Amino acid sequence: MLLVSGCREAADQPDHQAEWRDVLRHKEAAASPTASPAQKQVYADSVRAFVQKHPNHGRAREVWSRMQLEFADDLAAMGRYQDSIRFYRAVLAHDGTNDEARRGLSLAMSRLAVSHQQLLQIEKGMSPREVSRLVGKPVPGWSARMKRRDATIEAWYYRTVAGGVAAVYFRDGRVFAAEEQSDARMARLGS
């Protein structure tokens, strides 16, 4: 009786392996060093579609979560913190114990606005990379660059916790000033 019961359970569970192999064929093209963005997108879309159709497929869910985390990290690295937060939250919705998603979410949320304490850590002579480690990159559209005869001046603008706009100024790739209350006009920054 036990053998018959075991066979019936196996027959009740659908076999998605052929469908999963089709998804993996897209992975081969996407993983190639010469893969185009379109090929990578096709793979991501096929994994997402498979997970939507078969939400309990463990390996597919794991692959999709990894893809979402990588995309969230890429968005955060570009200063697109609001967008990255949505992806971190999507991962956490399915796996509330995912430490990488928790850390990413926490960091992205901390980068939505800078605090007085964060601004105090910025020192003259710092590089853009060093400033990015402290306060993140500015949101796309929240920077300006002007080439002068003797120097290149760049300004990065940030929302502050207090609701204003702070700015960090670089001359030839090094901080020369930072201010907590910038006179930059919000309309010009694409608020």
Side-chain angles (χ1 to χ4, degrees):
M1 181 69 170
L2 185 59
L3 181 60
V4 172
S5 174
C7 291
R8 191 173 310 151
E9 283 179 27
D12 290 343
Q13 295 197 5
D15 181 14
H16 309 300
Q17 292 309 312
E19 222 176 319
W20 182 240
R21 279 191 297 275
D22 287 340
V23 170
L24 294 178
R25 284 190 194 97
H26 294 295
K27 178 183 179 183
E28 291 173 20
S32 165
T34 60
S36 69
Q39 289 171 309
K40 292 177 182 182
Q41 188 63 52
V42 166
Y43 174 53
D45 291 344
S46 66
V47 172
R48 179 176 170 268
F50 185 89
V51 168
Q52 285 181 328
K53 187 173 180 183
H54 310 289
N56 296 325
H57 192 278
R59 180 64 184 144
R61 169 71 49 206
E62 184 181 315
V63 169
W64 180 236
S65 290
R66 167 74 15 227
M67 292 173 96
Q68 287 180 299
L69 285 172
E70 288 173 8
F71 192 55
D73 291 344
D74 289 346
L75 289 168
M78 292 185 288
R80 294 179 54 189
Y81 305 112
Q82 289 282 17
D83 295 328
S84 70
I85 287 169
R86 284 198 311 269
F87 283 92
Y88 291 125
R89 285 183 173 158
V91 171
L92 288 169
H94 292 285
D95 178 9
T97 64
N98 189 307
D99 289 334
E100 187 177 346
R102 279 192 209 170
R103 282 190 301 275
L105 177 62
S106 177
L107 182 61
M109 289 183 76
S110 76
R111 298 287 170 84
L112 290 175
V114 297
S115 69
H116 177 73
Q117 291 301 91
Q118 288 174 303
L119 290 169
L120 288 176
Q121 295 176 32
I122 297 172
E123 299 175 6
K124 285 185 179 182
M126 284 184 154
S127 69
R129 178 174 279 170
E130 291 169 315
V131 171
S132 290
R133 281 191 209 121
L134 290 175
V135 295
K137 287 193 173 189
V139 173
W142 280 53
S143 63
R145 176 177 258 180
M146 182 171 57
K147 188 114 170 119
R148 292 191 175 165
R149 186 177 42 145
D150 59 339
T152 300
I153 306 297
E154 188 170 3
W156 288 6
Y157 301 100
Y158 299 90
R159 290 186 194 278
T160 64
V161 174
V165 176
V168 178
Y169 301 100
F170 300 90
R171 179 183 295 123
D172 294 328
R174 294 291 171 193
V175 171
F176 72 89
E179 60 184 352
E180 192 166 357
Q181 293 297 322
S182 172
D183 290 331
R185 293 183 43 220
M186 291 301 287
R188 195 175 71 215
L189 296 175
S191 60

